Amino acid sequence: MDKIDSGNTFILRNKLKSTPQTLRLKNYLGQEGFFSNDINQPFSCLVPMVIDISKHYQDIFFIKKEKGQYKQVLMLSNVEDALFQAYRKQITSSSNFENIKNENERFSKTLDWFIENGLLPDGEFIAYYKQKGITTDSILYTEKQYQTILQQFQLGHEDLLSLIKKKYPEEVKQYYTQKMKDILLIEGPDYNNYYDFDKAISALTDSFNSDTSSADYILCNALTSEKFEKYEKRDIMVHLLKVVSEWK
């Protein structure tokens, strides 16, 4: 961003060849009749972000041309460089299918794109192709796609769990038990480590079959509270790992 001009307008540096090199984007505010998905809009609840001065951050603007004007429809703020490169790869690769005219082919290639990027197909995507009669709420995946989903899950894309939990129960169990063992090796675990441990157990046991009165359920939730000291939490994690290892 070069600056904010008069009239509450962003003046942006632009590296794309398909749009003018100088862009002026109106910064629409609440109650002005235009509501973007801007994560910085006043209705959002933002978690304070810690900036590491040794890293490089960028803002990403997504724009849309309407009647000769460019409008900002989404802005991602303070994107660290590694994540920026991941976004760049996803956006660039989407150009391989976005202009395909055949609906069935575009559906198939878009679905592959979601999977290859470790993403869960979103509701709007499913709703669009459901309306076209190409899919239902339950997408039918090929064996090759299932294999890719499993590989992406094992790389850490845990949002894909719902697609493979029943098909690959042993692989899912191995992934999460190894994750819990790795957390146990951490010398000074923090809140995020305890939270990840809690999530792993919840994923494998469905929160102990949603039995909120279960002693193990209560102990698991206590990991992210201040009820116990760290050495006590470690004993709890050792116990819960044993429970999960025997869980069927």
Side-chain angles (χ1 to χ4, degrees):
M1 183 189 301
D2 281 341
K3 61 181 179 178
I4 297 182
D5 197 4
S6 59
N8 200 31
T9 301
F10 291 123
I11 298 180
L12 306 175
R13 291 189 298 273
N14 177 40
K15 297 180 180 179
L16 300 176
K17 295 179 180 178
S18 58
T19 53
Q21 289 301 298
T22 299
L23 292 177
R24 291 171 181 262
L25 300 182
K26 183 69 176 177
N27 182 26
Y28 287 88
L29 302 176
Q31 313 305 323
E32 290 187 358
F34 175 86
F35 298 91
S36 74
N37 294 320
D38 190 336
I39 60 174
N40 290 319
Q41 60 180 299
F43 309 105
S44 301
C45 179
L46 297 178
V47 177
M49 180 178 179
V50 178
I51 300 294
D52 183 344
I53 61 172
S54 68
K55 293 183 178 180
H56 179 233
Y57 296 86
Q58 301 186 62
D59 290 349
I60 304 175
F61 293 85
F62 293 85
I63 60 175
K64 181 179 181 181
K65 187 175 183 179
E66 290 184 357
K67 298 179 181 178
Q69 292 186 332
Y70 289 93
K71 292 185 177 181
Q72 172 189 316
V73 294
L74 175 68
M75 182 178 77
L76 304 178
S77 298
N78 300 321
V79 180
E80 197 270 321
D81 200 51
L83 186 57
F84 174 80
Q85 296 302 330
Y87 285 155
R88 178 196 289 273
K89 179 182 176 183
Q90 290 179 355
I91 294 166
T92 303
S93 61
S94 71
S95 64
N96 295 328
F97 59 80
E98 62 185 356
N99 294 318
I100 294 175
K101 301 298 182 184
N102 183 286
E103 297 274 11
N104 286 282
E105 184 183 357
R106 190 166 74 245
F107 167 79
S108 178
K109 288 188 178 296
T110 308
L111 187 58
D112 285 340
W113 178 88
F114 274 112
I115 295 169
E116 289 162 4
N117 284 280
L119 301 171
L120 195 67
D122 63 53
E124 289 186 3
F125 167 78
I126 296 172
Y128 176 83
Y129 286 103
K130 182 181 177 182
Q131 181 187 9
K132 297 288 184 179
I134 293 174
T135 189
T136 64
D137 289 332
S138 299
I139 296 175
L140 296 176
Y141 296 93
T142 65
E143 284 300 317
K144 182 180 178 181
Q145 287 173 329
Y146 271 122
Q147 285 293 320
T148 305
I149 294 169
L150 177 61
Q151 290 168 5
Q152 289 296 324
F153 171 79
Q154 291 172 327
L155 288 172
H157 297 289
E158 296 178 14
D159 287 345
L160 299 174
L161 173 64
S162 61
L163 302 182
I164 59 166
K165 187 172 183 179
K166 291 182 178 179
K167 187 172 178 64
Y168 301 109
E170 285 306 313
E171 287 83 351
V172 169
K173 187 173 183 178
Q174 288 171 13
Y175 171 85
Y176 279 119
T177 51
Q178 185 59 53
K179 185 172 185 177
M180 287 185 279
K181 289 176 183 177
D182 291 342
I183 293 172
L184 272 169
L185 293 174
I186 297 173
E187 203 166 310
D190 58 20
Y191 175 87
N192 289 330
N193 301 135
Y194 293 127
Y195 178 72
D196 287 342
F197 199 95
D198 184 340
K199 274 182 63 180
I201 293 211
S202 298
L204 287 179
T205 67
D206 292 321
S207 297
F208 297 102
N209 293 327
S210 301
D211 181 5
T212 57
S213 63
S214 161
D216 290 328
Y217 178 94
I218 294 168
L219 285 172
C220 193
N221 278 270
L223 290 175
T224 52
S225 73
E226 301 301 320
K227 293 180 181 179
F228 299 98
E229 298 294 331
K230 285 191 174 183
Y231 74 90
E232 294 174 309
K233 288 185 177 182
R234 191 181 191 287
D235 290 340
I236 291 171
M237 290 193 292
V238 170
H239 163 74
L240 291 174
L241 178 57
K242 183 175 184 298
V243 171
V244 168
S245 298
E246 299 170 354
W247 189 269
K248 293 182 180 180

